[in-house]
Amino acid sequence: MSEQVNSSGKMSFSELMEKYKVGAFFQKYTMIIALIAVTIVFATWKGKEGLILLPSNLTGLIAENGYVFVLATGMLLCILTGGNIDLSVGSVVCFTAAIGCTMMAGGANMWLTTAVMLLIGLAIGVFQGFWIAKVRVPAFIATLAGMYAFRGFTNVVLNGLRVDITNEGFLQVFGNGKTSFIPDFIRNAAPGLDNVFTKDNAFLTGLIGENFIAKFNVTCMCIGILGTLIFIAVRVHKMVSQKKLGIAQSIPGQIVSTVIISALILWMCFKFSCYRGFPMVMIWIGLVLGIYAYITNKTAIGRHLYAVGGNEKATALSGVKTRNVYWFAYANIGLLAGLAGILTAARAKGIDPVYGEGYEMDAIASCFIGGASAYGGTGRVSGMIIGAILMGVINKGMIIVGVDANYQKVVKGIVLLVAVMFDVLSKRQKR
Amino acid sequence: MCNMSEQQETRAREPYLLEMLDIEKQFPGVKALDHARLQLRAGTVHALMGENGAGKSTLMKCLFGIYTRDGGTITMNGEPVTFTSPRDALDNGVAMVHQELNQVLRRNVMENVWLGRFPTTKLGTVDTRKMYADTKAVFERLEIDVDPKQIIGELSVSKRQMVEIAKAVSYNAKILVLDEPTSSLTEDEVEHLFRIMHRLTSEGVGIIYISHKMDEILRISNDVTIMRDGQWIATKSAETLTKEEIIRLMVGREMTNQFPPKNNQIGDVLLDVRNFSGMYEPTCHDVSFQLHKGEVLGVAGLVGSRRTELLNSLFGYFTSGGGEVTMNGKPIRNVTTDEARKNGFALITEERRATGIFGENTILFNTIIANVDAYGKPLLNARKMDRDTDEQIAAMKVKTPSKKTLIKSLSGGNQQKVIIGRWLLTNPDVLLMDEPTRGIDVGAKYEIYQLILNLASQGKGVMMVSSEMPELLGICDRILVMSNGHLAGIVERGKDFGNIPGEQEKIMELAAKYV
């Protein structure tokens, strides 16, 4: 009898879960929840409380991982086509950077150099894509060949030596030194604000904290607030149109996620405002992420990537030239490797022949942690961003709390394995 | 002379919408199409019929640009055409519903319908709104009740089939190929499809309709073309045809002396299978039968009747869902293929190249691979492996220069003999053979039949799936007839077949029982 009561109680609970799509919500936002949890763990670490949340650490988190965001975006497109990866990006990053640094050391104009670096990246992508798409060499092998070859070319270009960058303009636009932050236009335009942002203003000091009040970047905060409002407007618009079409989506779930993401954006922008504002590299990351979120979600080629990875045969029978889809993905990651080369060189103020080693693995891991399927066909730019940030937080957090460098790699490995395990298990249930 | 010009005149008055003449297609070891022919008039339904493997789908794939034909001509409205890709065919007014459902399961319905031709806005983005409206319009016109935004993998198979049909219609093609479109449809949906087809033919579309269902064919089609062994056999008006006539034309072969004499003695019950089912769809359901020592038990059925699923589930390769299996009176359960092997089962698979041979390895490797345990641990006993391989090559009469030859360089028949030899090394009691003579030339077939009968004579039980009716009738003692995953009936030699008039028709009818 009591068993019956129990089981009926369970039923109504699971019905409740079903009604509010709790399971689906957790499945969809697993990685955001994991990200928040990991951050809380590091932020409350005994003796290191709050260190990871210091503005300078958060800025570093983005700036240091600029190449990961850019490469992971390219990698995501390749993975979408069926779990294909590009192992050559680390070498291509170093190769393009080597060419660029050598050019600038010879006095070349920074914009010309930038264009050349991007074009070389693209050309390498087109070349590797040719072997993969047309000759059908497995992507793993074609790009492994590229990984060796371009590492070798790098050494040839650099003669095995480091080349420094002295072009200040280049460093300012792409780097993250003291100069490469977006200036505070508002405070520059209105010097009177300096008198408002002082320690005497008890209200603002309470809000911002006395360490940061004097140099608080108002422009950055305004952009953050504006961005959050736009984000909320887009989400609300989407929800309303979904409701109109009568599509079954978890409205409470969407509201919760909108609130969480808005709060995260605002909070991040606040932290950046406390420390010099947005680093320049964020513009490039933001541009890439925005453009590729648009390409994957809205354009025909984006949908073809998902279609090829989901069912190549069906795609071919629908009249899509599937080989060109692969070619696009690999040409594209070459271009992005060129951009990552620019960011890497600028950040390091030069190039060493060993730079870029292991970058491909960081990019691949970010995609898989961010929910891309190892079989292709599913994965989103937004998920990949979360994956990359999660990796970054774990890296940074472990350095702050003083985990041995070797164990840092162990932890990264475990995170990757667990994330992909979720993907595989969720598919098995559906069968 | 006069007659000729009259014929030419008739032809000029009423040109064919599509004419495929003398189409040839050669696959390694098999001639898939041999002077195949199809002539389709505008505004008609043209049924294409034939047994499994008669070449119907191959012919359509040659039309749609999936296969490149080796010879013959294709003309549309009198113009010679050759489509090099599905894209090419679609652009030129040929659309096709394929036998298997080819869909991107994780994407939504409308994306699947418009894949390859997404409507775009001026900004170059996919125009989701137009796509939604267009899909809705197509579905409304065809009275299909499916939400265009639903993920297609969440739909039932029959709904997915209707979406696929709607997709093909939405190309507004002049020629529509339907390759077994009704295999997963409910009766109401079949009626629905027929209404759609009537409407299309009244608009002048020519429809090629492939199906095994005689009643449907006779009801819906204007003309019927019958194929056999890749060849054109006849094209007749549906009005002049009867079910019996179609079956006679499809089966048509003369039974000659292509089988060795039967000399096997049937003994006690070896395997008793009760209410056996597989776990994951598509699979077999509730199958009960007995296999005796020394018996050759055939398994007949149409494509999709789940014969392969039955064998694979018995062997533990597919997960079994329910039922009991007893062997020599003892209950057994093959959860894995390893257990099946240890229980004395052997499986010779249907797709020899994909799941049978290790093409890049030698005959020796291929011979000992199922029996590696027997050659010593931890190191393999090379001398014993050599001896066993030589023995099997001799016993199976494999024609090969050496045991170190790569198996891929052998003919299909010799490859199959190596695989049978591989399993005989494990000394099995039950041999499950899935299409053991597929893609093998006639001479080698005789040798395989002889091998099967010899095995039975040694007291082993052989279960043999085949799509070739004559060989089942020629060497089996009894035949299980599967239909849509269920056992439709068991026929016996001497009672139901074995030079008994109407034997093939009886099996064909059973095979269509649950379709």
Side-chain angles (χ1 to χ4, degrees):
Chain A
M1 192 60 197
S2 67
E3 263 180 33
Q4 260 184 348
V5 173
N6 249 340
S7 74
S8 73
K10 256 182 195 165
M11 274 294 284
S12 68
F13 177 65
S14 67
E15 273 167 14
L16 213 67
M17 296 266 287
E18 186 65 27
K19 191 181 168 195
Y20 291 105
K21 300 198 166 83
V22 176
F25 177 80
F26 270 96
Q27 205 176 355
K28 196 169 174 190
Y29 299 107
T30 318
M31 283 303 141
I32 294 191
I33 294 161
L35 175 60
I36 293 170
V38 167
T39 312
I40 289 172
V41 167
F42 285 123
T44 56
W45 198 277
K46 211 162 184 216
K48 312 277 182 186
E49 285 93 348
L51 265 183
I52 195 168
L53 301 180
L54 277 182
S56 56
N57 275 334
L58 288 176
T59 302
L61 184 75
I62 300 297
E64 285 156 21
N65 291 302
Y67 73 90
V68 178
F69 289 101
V70 174
L71 291 178
T73 305
M75 199 66 78
L76 180 70
L77 268 55
C78 295
I79 288 172
L80 284 181
T81 64
N84 299 307
I85 53 177
D86 187 337
L87 293 175
S88 71
V89 288
S91 297
V92 176
V93 162
C94 197
F95 179 67
T96 54
I99 300 253
C101 292
T102 311
M103 277 178 75
M104 281 188 288
N109 171 286
M110 65 169 280
W111 295 113
L112 174 72
T113 309
T114 309
V116 168
M117 290 169 83
L118 291 176
L119 282 176
I120 288 177
L122 180 62
I124 292 171
V126 170
F127 176 74
Q128 294 193 140
F130 167 79
W131 293 102
I132 294 159
K134 295 288 164 173
V135 188
R136 306 196 186 193
V137 175
F140 184 88
I141 292 166
T143 59
L144 182 64
M147 176 174 142
Y148 285 123
F150 292 107
R151 183 62 62 187
F153 280 133
T154 308
N155 274 315
V156 172
V157 171
L158 293 177
N159 275 325
L161 299 170
R162 183 185 164 89
V163 173
D164 288 317
I165 296 178
T166 48
N167 188 326
E168 280 302 322
F170 185 83
L171 293 179
Q172 192 165 353
V173 173
F174 297 110
N176 76 327
K178 279 191 178 148
T179 51
S180 51
F181 286 87
I182 301 172
D184 192 346
F185 299 108
I186 294 177
R187 280 180 77 164
N188 290 348
L193 281 174
D194 285 353
N195 300 327
V196 180
F197 285 89
T198 60
K199 286 182 190 170
D200 303 334
N201 190 327
F203 173 70
L204 282 175
T205 308
L207 213 59
I208 298 167
E210 54 183 82
N211 289 339
F212 308 115
I213 183 86
K215 299 224 162 152
F216 191 77
N217 189 320
V218 180
T219 313
C220 176
M221 198 62 227
C222 288
I223 293 173
I225 291 167
L226 198 69
T228 310
L229 289 177
I230 292 173
F231 174 75
I232 292 172
V234 168
R235 289 298 283 258
V236 168
H237 174 78
K238 195 176 155 196
M239 274 186 260
V240 170
S241 65
Q242 277 177 354
K243 188 119 196 171
K244 257 190 211 157
L245 291 170
I247 299 158
Q249 286 270 354
S250 159
I251 293 286
Q254 289 195 61
I255 291 173
V256 171
S257 81
T258 307
V259 169
I260 291 177
I261 295 172
S262 305
L264 271 176
I265 297 176
L266 270 182
W267 180 76
M268 288 288 279
C269 289
F270 172 72
K271 290 285 178 179
F272 287 133
S273 304
C274 291
Y275 183 77
R276 296 179 181 161
F278 292 118
M280 284 298 281
V281 68
M282 265 198 76
I283 296 186
W284 305 111
I285 297 171
L287 262 178
V288 166
L289 296 178
I291 289 171
Y292 283 89
Y294 183 80
I295 289 178
T296 50
N297 285 328
K298 301 282 179 190
T299 64
I301 181 69
R303 310 244 172 159
H304 288 167
L305 291 167
Y306 286 99
V308 166
N311 186 340
E312 185 183 358
K313 199 173 163 201
T315 314
L317 290 175
S318 301
V320 176
K321 292 199 166 129
T322 52
R323 294 282 124 194
N324 290 355
V325 178
Y326 291 107
W327 207 346
F328 170 80
Y330 280 91
N332 174 70
I333 195 171
L335 177 70
L336 288 177
L339 177 60
I342 293 170
L343 299 182
T344 301
R347 177 167 170 73
K349 296 185 178 168
I351 192 72
D352 232 75
V354 294
Y355 281 7
E357 271 174 13
Y359 279 18
E360 61 280 346
M361 296 304 164
D362 292 338
I364 293 166
S366 299
C367 290
F368 287 141
I369 291 173
S373 163
Y375 308 107
T378 49
R380 298 169 64 86
V381 170
S382 53
M384 179 275 290
I385 297 173
I386 304 292
I389 294 180
L390 181 60
M391 290 274 284
V393 169
I394 290 171
N395 268 338
K396 195 103 198 161
M398 286 193 296
I399 293 169
I400 287 172
V401 303
V403 175
D404 179 278
N406 295 317
Y407 283 106
Q408 290 178 20
K409 289 189 179 163
V410 174
V411 172
K412 270 160 109 175
I414 291 169
V415 170
L416 177 62
L417 192 65
V418 170
V420 176
M421 183 191 78
F422 272 116
D423 178 48
V424 173
L425 286 185
S426 70
K427 253 177 229 111
R428 191 178 296 169
Q429 282 165 359
K430 277 177 200 158
R431 202 171 70 156
Chain B
M1 271 303 272
C2 178
N3 203 358
M4 274 281 281
S5 64
E6 245 181 46
Q7 264 187 357
Q8 276 169 354
E9 261 178 37
T10 327
R11 211 164 161 176
R13 265 205 310 276
E14 204 184 320
Y16 286 109
L17 173 59
L18 172 78
E19 204 166 14
M20 302 179 79
L21 294 175
D22 294 330
I23 306 296
E24 310 257 341
K25 180 72 192 172
Q26 179 84 37
F27 288 127
V30 190
K31 188 139 205 181
L33 293 177
D34 183 10
H35 294 277
R37 179 198 299 181
L38 183 83
Q39 290 158 312
L40 171 69
R41 290 178 288 128
T44 65
V45 175
H46 195 123
L48 185 53
M49 300 204 71
E51 285 189 292
N52 295 334
K56 303 169 304 240
S57 291
T58 310
L59 184 64
M60 290 302 103
K61 283 177 178 171
C62 286
L63 169 65
F64 200 61
I66 300 169
Y67 292 157
T68 314
R69 64 178 186 274
D70 298 329
T73 54
I74 302 178
T75 52
M76 261 177 86
N77 289 320
E79 299 276 321
V81 289
T82 298
F83 303 132
T84 54
S85 67
R87 163 92 278 160
D88 206 6
L90 290 166
D91 286 345
N92 287 285
V94 181
M96 182 162 171
V97 173
H98 301 271
Q99 192 173 2
E100 323 85 35
L101 280 171
N102 284 298
Q103 288 164 334
V104 188
L105 293 184
R106 283 186 236 147
R107 308 302 291 183
N108 62 28
V109 169
M110 59 182 186
E111 223 169 284
N112 271 285
V113 170
W114 300 100
L115 181 59
R117 51 187 176 134
F118 290 131
T120 48
T121 61
K122 278 177 197 160
L123 290 170
T125 59
V126 174
D127 193 340
T128 325
R129 225 165 274 186
K130 180 167 161 45
M131 197 155 80
Y132 183 79
D134 289 354
T135 316
K136 261 244 141 60
V138 171
F139 284 1
E140 262 162 33
R141 188 158 69 94
L142 302 178
E143 293 161 28
I144 294 172
D145 181 29
V146 171
D147 176 6
K149 288 219 172 190
Q150 188 156 12
I151 299 297
I152 204 158
E154 295 169 356
L155 294 176
S156 69
V157 175
S158 68
K159 280 263 160 56
R160 283 171 55 199
Q161 182 75 57
M162 290 310 283
V163 169
E164 204 64 5
I165 290 164
K167 175 181 178 176
V169 171
S170 73
Y171 283 96
N172 293 319
K174 292 191 286 285
I175 297 169
L176 181 62
V177 182
L178 303 171
D179 194 349
E180 301 208 32
T182 57
S183 55
S184 57
L185 296 186
T186 63
E187 248 173 71
D188 287 347
E189 285 164 329
V190 171
E191 292 304 319
H192 189 169
L193 172 65
F194 286 177
R195 284 201 301 279
I196 294 173
M197 286 168 67
H198 272 302
R199 184 166 170 169
L200 293 171
T201 47
S202 70
E203 291 165 7
V205 176
I207 298 177
I208 300 170
Y209 188 85
I210 299 178
S211 175
H212 283 292
K213 300 178 188 171
M214 308 280 172
D215 301 321
E216 281 181 11
I217 296 283
L218 292 174
R219 233 187 87 193
I220 189 86
S221 54
N222 305 88
D223 302 303
V224 180
T225 287
I226 291 150
M227 292 181 72
R228 192 196 313 145
D229 297 334
Q231 290 174 321
W232 174 84
I233 298 299
T235 299
K236 300 199 170 190
S237 165
E239 288 158 14
T240 67
L241 279 170
T242 60
K243 219 166 155 175
E244 291 69 32
E245 174 81 354
I246 294 175
I247 293 179
R248 194 185 61 76
L249 287 167
M250 275 166 59
V251 175
R253 269 168 293 220
E254 292 301 313
M255 300 285 273
T256 49
N257 215 6
Q258 39 182 314
F259 303 103
K262 281 179 68 67
N263 53 358
N264 54 320
Q265 295 291 318
I266 296 177
D268 300 337
V269 173
L270 174 60
L271 202 64
D272 191 359
V273 177
R274 290 195 178 279
N275 309 106
F276 187 78
S277 304
M279 178 81 96
Y280 302 108
E281 290 293 338
T283 187
C284 55
H285 298 281
D286 206 18
V287 177
S288 300
F289 65 91
Q290 291 181 330
L291 174 67
H292 298 81
K293 287 176 181 163
E295 183 180 35
V296 181
L297 180 62
V299 185
L302 301 168
V303 168
S305 58
R306 329 267 166 83
R307 296 165 298 175
T308 298
E309 284 79 358
L310 171 63
L311 257 55
N312 285 345
S313 303
L314 282 172
F315 193 66
Y317 181 51
F318 290 174
T319 314
S320 54
E324 289 151 33
V325 181
T326 51
M327 192 168 173
N328 291 322
K330 269 183 283 178
I332 56 158
R333 187 146 183 257
N334 294 333
V335 178
T336 65
T337 54
D338 188 46
E339 279 171 81
R341 185 172 54 95
K342 285 173 182 154
N343 283 328
F345 281 66
L347 173 67
I348 286 139
T349 58
E350 180 181 15
E351 302 278 341
R352 187 170 53 250
R353 225 161 295 150
T355 55
I357 62 167
F358 299 83
E360 299 296 330
N361 290 95
T362 60
I363 291 173
L364 186 138
F365 180 95
N366 274 279
T367 305
I368 56 97
I369 191 64
N371 200 31
V372 171
D373 294 354
Y375 299 103
K377 287 170 186 169
L379 292 176
L380 293 174
N381 182 340
R383 199 172 303 160
K384 190 153 178 263
M385 292 196 299
D386 281 348
R387 200 175 57 226
D388 280 0
T389 306
D390 286 334
E391 258 172 37
Q392 290 306 326
I393 288 175
M396 297 294 117
K397 300 196 181 98
V398 180
K399 290 185 200 82
T400 171
S402 122
K403 59 178 172 291
K404 305 277 189 213
T405 307
L406 295 190
I407 194 168
K408 69 175 179 183
S409 64
L410 300 187
S411 71
N414 281 306
Q415 290 179 356
Q416 194 69 301
K417 288 190 230 164
V418 171
I419 292 176
I420 295 174
R422 169 199 297 172
W423 282 107
L424 292 187
L425 281 179
T426 68
N427 198 20
D429 299 312
V430 179
L431 284 108
L432 310 172
M433 298 191 175
D434 202 348
E435 305 278 5
T437 65
R438 174 171 288 179
I440 290 175
D441 62 69
V442 181
K445 276 185 183 177
Y446 190 93
E447 290 181 78
I448 301 277
Y449 298 144
Q450 185 69 63
L451 274 171
I452 291 172
L453 290 173
N454 288 349
L455 290 169
S457 308
Q458 293 163 22
K460 298 182 190 300
V462 180
M463 250 181 108
M464 170 177 144
V465 167
S466 176
S467 293
E468 289 187 37
M469 194 88 77
E471 76 178 22
L472 288 176
L473 298 172
I475 68 166
C476 293
D477 299 297
R478 291 184 304 149
I479 301 173
L480 306 180
V481 187
M482 297 284 291
S483 178
N484 205 13
H486 297 272
L487 182 60
I490 303 179
V491 292
E492 278 180 52
R493 175 174 294 279
K495 192 170 139 220
D496 306 291
F497 69 92
N499 284 328
I500 290 170
E503 53 191 15
Q504 299 204 28
E505 287 77 359
K506 174 160 192 177
I507 293 173
M508 289 285 267
E509 266 172 43
L510 279 173
K513 191 171 171 186
Y514 298 111
V515 174

